[in-house]
Amino acid sequence: MKQSSETLTSLSSVNKAFIEPFPNSKKVYAKGSRDDINVPMRQIKLTDTIGDLAEKNDPIHVYDTSGPYTDPTKTISYRDGIESVRSNWIEERGDTELLDGVSSNFSIERLNNKELDELRFEHLRAPRKAMKGKNVTQMHYAKKGIITPEMEYIAIRENCLWQEYQDQIGQHQGESFGAATPKIITPEFVRDEVARGRAIIPNNINHPETEPMIVGRNFLVKINGNIGNSALGSSIDEEVGKMVWGVRWGADTIMDLSTGKNIHETREWIIRNSPVPVGTVPIYQALEKVKGVAEDLTWEIFRDTLIEQAEQGVDYFTIHAGVRLKYVPLTMNRVTGIVSRGGSIMAKWCLAHHTESFLYTHFEDICEIMKAYDVTFSLGDGLRPGSIADANDAAQYGELETLGELTKIAWKHDVQTFIEGPGHVPMHMIKDNMEKQLEECGEAPFYTLGPLTTDIAPGYDHITSAIGAAQIGWYGCAMLCYVTPKEHLGLPNQDDVKTGIITYKIAAHAADLAKGHPGAQIRDNALSKARFEFRWEDQFNLALDPDTARSFHDETLPKQAAKTAHFCSMCGPKFCSMKISQDIKGLDSATVEKIQEIQIEMDKKSEEFLDNDSEIYLKEGA
Amino acid sequence: MKQSSETLTSLSSVNKAFIEPFPNSKKVYAKGSRDDINVPMRQIKLTDTIGDLAEKNDPIHVYDTSGPYTDPTKTISYRDGIESVRSNWIEERGDTELLDGVSSNFSIERLNNKELDELRFEHLRAPRKAMKGKNVTQMHYAKKGIITPEMEYIAIRENCLWQEYQDQIGQHQGESFGAATPKIITPEFVRDEVARGRAIIPNNINHPETEPMIVGRNFLVKINGNIGNSALGSSIDEEVGKMVWGVRWGADTIMDLSTGKNIHETREWIIRNSPVPVGTVPIYQALEKVKGVAEDLTWEIFRDTLIEQAEQGVDYFTIHAGVRLKYVPLTMNRVTGIVSRGGSIMAKWCLAHHTESFLYTHFEDICEIMKAYDVTFSLGDGLRPGSIADANDAAQYGELETLGELTKIAWKHDVQTFIEGPGHVPMHMIKDNMEKQLEECGEAPFYTLGPLTTDIAPGYDHITSAIGAAQIGWYGCAMLCYVTPKEHLGLPNQDDVKTGIITYKIAAHAADLAKGHPGAQIRDNALSKARFEFRWEDQFNLALDPDTARSFHDETLPKQAAKTAHFCSMCGPKFCSMKISQDIKGLDSATVEKIQEIQIEMDKKSEEFLDNDSEIYLKEGA
């Protein structure tokens, strides 16, 4: 079981491709009401429009999940972890205390194991916990009317400085299906949404490195990237690399789904280096602790795992407490049974013991742990459909109703909660999922995996699922869990992670546009304007993936001159539709007037012509 | 201008990867009412389910666009072209005649140019044309009540032999938005849809090599793949290769958008080897004939081009007759002006001459040509939006209304017609496009490019557009024009063509599923069942792209044994959710009964528990 030390050597150096700033972009920080609220954004600088339509093009600000990694002023060292953004805020609230050491038996055991020394993160901090009787969740503060620095940070972050030019730029109104995002997000709005349970801020007090972010229907649609080793492969440095790579391209949260070697140590490295919230499925690790024998799981082992992970700083836990014994037989006639790993573990346990799931019976005990560290519930959809055939069936919807009940219990404890959703669903059945979730779960945020809209394209399930993800995001889903091209087939490598993230950024952004999220269209407009004006470099730099855009252009027109050429490879230099449009843009009013005169006359002729036609048509068609 | 002979050398041999049969698949031919109606399908053979749930799995039949290329009994030679499927049918109708030679001036000029001999397709046939006064369109026959062999062929093809097991397999009902596909497509239904103009059969009498196919809202959603050289690159053999590669992966039609060298000769090679309908945009070639100077275009040059291409066998022409002078000023304030190449050519011409487009004023003359060869109108959307900002604007919708008028004129001549659509449209504005098109154009089939649902992802526009394409396909769009990853950036290579095709097969199939197309779910169900039962090879073989699915699996678990292993790389061998589900499938009725008993008791307890909760919750939340 000993991991080779060679693995960790590569953690000493950071892959340059992971941390170089984006082209012609600058990390800027928007200041809040206090000196220690500095909200990162990526500023993309644009070149001027030249020629007849000459004008200056303002820089564009985009939401930035990459943390310190794209800031050249920061020194990055995986071995030291990243800076803590939130330590002051947590401390000054005065409702938490540093423990003498880790509380979980498993953590103690791992810590005392000398063999693990060489792969252990060096700068372990004492864990922090709520003082006795205190509740330290953002929801708890919100309900009390307290606006935390996290909430203010989020308000600034969600606005992206767009208010400065939001009104100057045309944007379609959108169709929001009941979502109601104000033109400007205020800290009070953030507080109110969190208090109502309509949004969550996944921010464990033991993960002060997070740059606060929010998940809710009235905010920008977020995406999650899954990483994690398995029994069959990967190492700590690969997983940390995937995390850094993932946030570079836009992952708003990361889930560490490790089921392989050294899960505990791997997680520590990931969290200490992650600027985004980290989620886990604790039952995966609990299962490893009982050597993979589901029926040997106990509440005590699970509880110890929750504390272990909460003290490391996991921001949200997927808990499959909705997999109740009674739903298990409902999956018997499914085409693909239970495909959720967590769901099937619990189903197996329930069947073996012929009793209710301990996650369900101990749900309030779990709430007690969650509120002591501010871990958010991600109520798992253990019975999600694994095929088009099984979509929206009794097992899935039965579980969803239970998740609704559990949401209300969690809220009673002021524990932040969001709800996981499917899965595999044909397009016409997606909306029903969203509507039922909103209704059953009191508008708690929905967090879906895809959904995949067909089963017939393994190898391309990032696409089958992006089609569904964009739609459910539009209908109101708050966070989309990415699917990589390797889904159903193998473990994603670095390229797959990037492809998954970019694909889901597309889905999330398409959803923002369709919802009419204020300011969402600014980037589209800027990129389209750059495209129209042959500002190639601006077009690349505004793209979700500037590297790929640039390299594709290079493939056909590699010369640097082509980057300033007023044509592209599609039409070539001789005739160009964009150029003609630019001529049209420059038409003088006399010409336009003349066209109108000509047209009035021609319209008259044409009407006569069409009258004749439709007469003939009616005659022949009759 | 002389093309190197080396280029054509590679046409002597066919890339093996282009023509090898799909794994565990067999080309089968379903017989029609006459000996010469043999409709190709791909039969995918499946292995048996083993273990407790042992059963035989019937082979699946899927729609097959690959023509003779995947039939190992056929000898493939690009130099000879492929077999003619329809020659008999065309001849026996007795309404056409073979001409002494080509009629277009340009064709004659090319034929007499000795320098072109070495790159000319050798076995040129005399062109066929309607006899004087005859109308040879499928719509004309349909309106007369004639069921052509093409119609019968299509009925068999659309059914895919699914009726044999359609009812045995569960399928969701779907939401069809007014489309009404019968459970079994009859030849009479095909005839009726063509007569009403609700479907088209693009089948030029000079392209007897086509395997008849249909485009219409009540049939399977189709996809088009664009190929074609440009001034900046590509050669005849590359373009023929792209076509064969495209139909292999599922292109239902191919558009040859060449604007580079030897357009005439390139097209001949493509058509003679294409088992699917070929579309073109004749104005592209007309523009080349006037050396790229749009204002020098004349009706005479355009007319000669139509005849040239009709006699080669082009099955549908994109004609931008809706770009009327009066709409041009409506594009002045757009972010991206006119992005359609054909649209901007005509806009430029209209502006230069300050008069109505000759495509509009000569529309009935064009109809006369169309009906003499049965070329289908693809009425071009020259004013489609090129950015999210410009979606659904006055220029676009004005043109669409004109296309509606022109459709009725075309129908008066019994000329088959479908309508091209956008472009760049945010999700919430897609449905309006479909509804307006159906209304304005009397339910003529819609054929859209995407639409792209955001502008911010150049390099990934196959995905931004597949999201929109799946939706508009669901709403009723009959054919989806693919977009490759190179869109906006460069010319697609072979990989891009494949990626574009597979992505659009996904969109089209997701649409079929959502519409509830009878039998569409059979392949999903078969693949999901194979997945659940760890029949890895069946899963790969049922995939849209078996090669990629297999290679992705190999990356993580390369050993052949893993292909029969009852686990996958995601969970590893120790714990597997699929395995547990298989246990659940095998539960006996006594166990299920016992679970129900236990549950009734627990439900009682749980209700008490929840009653208490909601009481507390209401108290605290109030």
Side-chain angles (χ1 to χ4, degrees), chain A residues 172 326 334 338 341 344 388 412 454-455 460 486 524 528 544-545 555 571 577 581 585 599 613, chain B residues 172 326 334 338 341 344 388 412 454-455 460 486 524 528 545 555 571 577 581 585 599 613:
Chain A
H172 298 296
K326 66 173 170 181
R334 280 182 158 186
I338 301 177
R341 200 162 181 270
S344 60
I388 291 296
K412 186 189 71 177
T454 166
D455 304 336
Y460 298 81
K486 290 278 167 61
D524 295 78
S528 290
L544 283 179
D545 177 2
E555 263 182 52
C571 293
S577 45
S581 295
K585 245 190 173 23
Q599 197 61 54
D613 278 326
Chain B
H172 299 294
K326 66 174 172 181
R334 279 183 159 186
I338 300 176
R341 202 163 180 270
S344 60
I388 292 296
K412 186 190 71 177
T454 167
D455 304 336
Y460 298 81
K486 290 279 166 62
D524 294 78
S528 290
D545 176 3
E555 263 183 53
C571 293
S577 44
S581 294
K585 245 188 172 27
Q599 199 60 53
D613 279 326

Side-chain angles (χ1 to χ4, degrees), chain A residues 65-66 223 245-253 501 505:
Chain A
T65 58
S66 63
I223 67 164
W245 188 237
V247 301
R248 175 178 182 82
W249 295 110
D252 292 289
T253 78
I501 297 282
K505 288 299 282 183

